[in-house]
Amino acid sequence: MNPTSPHEHAGAHLDAIRQSYDTVAADYARSVKDPGALDPVSRAVLSAFAELVASPGLGPTADVGCGPGKVTAYLTELGIPAFGVDLSPRMIELARAAHPGLRFDVGPMSALAACDGELGGVLAFYSTHHLPPAELPQVYEEFHRALAPGGHLLLVTRVGEEEHQRRTYGYGDGDPAPFDSYRLPADRIAGLLERAGFAITAQTLQAPEEGAKRPVAGFLARKPAVDNVP
């Protein structure tokens, strides 16, 4: 028997994420906060990102792992041309129903439907933690590829000490839905972003909210106007 290839393993992993979020999509959409109700630091980071990607000449912004589209809509309210991308078809159905005037695509963040240098911004707002660490370099390189020179990335995620957590339930009281989550140290994430060609322009670290166990790190990064990837 031939061993499973890395590509096949990644495909199976994405299928599991897709199925889990399809299962819990309605409960997730009801439970996730509207961006305007987030804590002041999170709102400030989103606002700073919106101001950066509003620079003249930059393309649209992709909200990757957009879920039901609440943050995508928030960016458009801030005056940013934004569209959402999510692996879960059910999430995209809900996003399109809630925000019929906006664009939402089904697809993985590792293969964005964007030409090289097409995007002015990429937002990954609590959307990369389900990916095994070995897959992050490919995803960060894809963000870099799709961004225009001078474009910006905002990545926000919970961090930890090389932790892997598996839950067998999702949101609400629906059917069981397994979720794998990975919490990496902030400095490791920063190093991976830099190796993908990004220059980190700002970094935040927030203490855990009440009821949460892990701090939150935010990374504002820029694709240099002159490509620095070997």
Side-chain angles (χ1 to χ4, degrees):
M1 180 181 296
N2 292 329
T4 302
S5 71
H7 178 77
E8 290 171 338
H9 176 76
H13 177 69
L14 292 180
D15 286 343
I17 296 173
R18 181 186 300 111
Q19 292 169 10
S20 292
Y21 273 105
D22 277 348
T23 299
V24 305
D27 287 326
Y28 180 90
R30 284 190 292 268
S31 64
V32 70
K33 290 182 179 179
D34 289 324
L38 293 171
D39 63 273
V41 174
S42 294
R43 295 198 311 272
V45 170
L46 284 171
S47 295
F49 173 71
E51 184 174 344
L52 289 168
V53 298
S55 299
L58 290 180
T61 289
D63 177 13
V64 299
C66 67
K70 294 184 180 183
V71 179
T72 315
Y74 186 71
L75 288 176
T76 64
E77 291 169 3
L78 295 176
I80 304 306
F83 65 96
V85 181
D86 201 277
L87 191 62
S88 162
R90 179 58 181 149
M91 284 289 192
I92 293 299
E93 287 178 11
L94 294 175
R96 289 170 176 167
H99 311 287
L102 301 183
R103 170 188 164 189
F104 294 97
D105 300 335
V106 177
M109 63 180 69
S110 57
L112 297 175
C115 297
D116 292 357
E118 179 181 345
L119 303 178
V122 172
L123 173 66
F125 197 69
Y126 295 97
S127 60
T128 59
H129 59 282
H130 295 306
L131 297 173
E135 295 179 22
L136 290 177
Q138 176 188 353
V139 170
Y140 295 168
E141 288 166 8
E142 176 66 358
F143 295 168
H144 186 276
R145 178 199 67 79
L147 278 171
H152 300 273
L153 167 70
L154 172 59
L155 188 153
V156 178
T157 189
R158 298 195 185 279
V159 293
E161 296 299 327
E162 307 286 352
E163 300 161 21
H164 176 198
Q165 178 185 26
R166 183 171 178 81
R167 296 169 54 185
T168 56
Y169 60 92
Y171 300 81
D173 299 319
D175 295 329
F179 291 93
D180 286 285
S181 297
Y182 301 86
R183 315 295 187 196
L184 301 183
D187 59 355
R188 183 174 175 195
I189 295 172
L192 291 174
L193 289 171
E194 289 170 342
R195 282 194 284 278
F198 286 102
I200 295 176
T201 56
Q203 187 172 326
T204 61
L205 185 64
Q206 296 173 248
E209 295 179 354
E210 184 176 352
K213 297 181 179 180
R214 301 292 180 270
V216 173
F219 304 85
L220 275 167
R222 183 173 180 267
K223 179 176 178 175
V226 176
D227 200 345
N228 65 348
V229 174

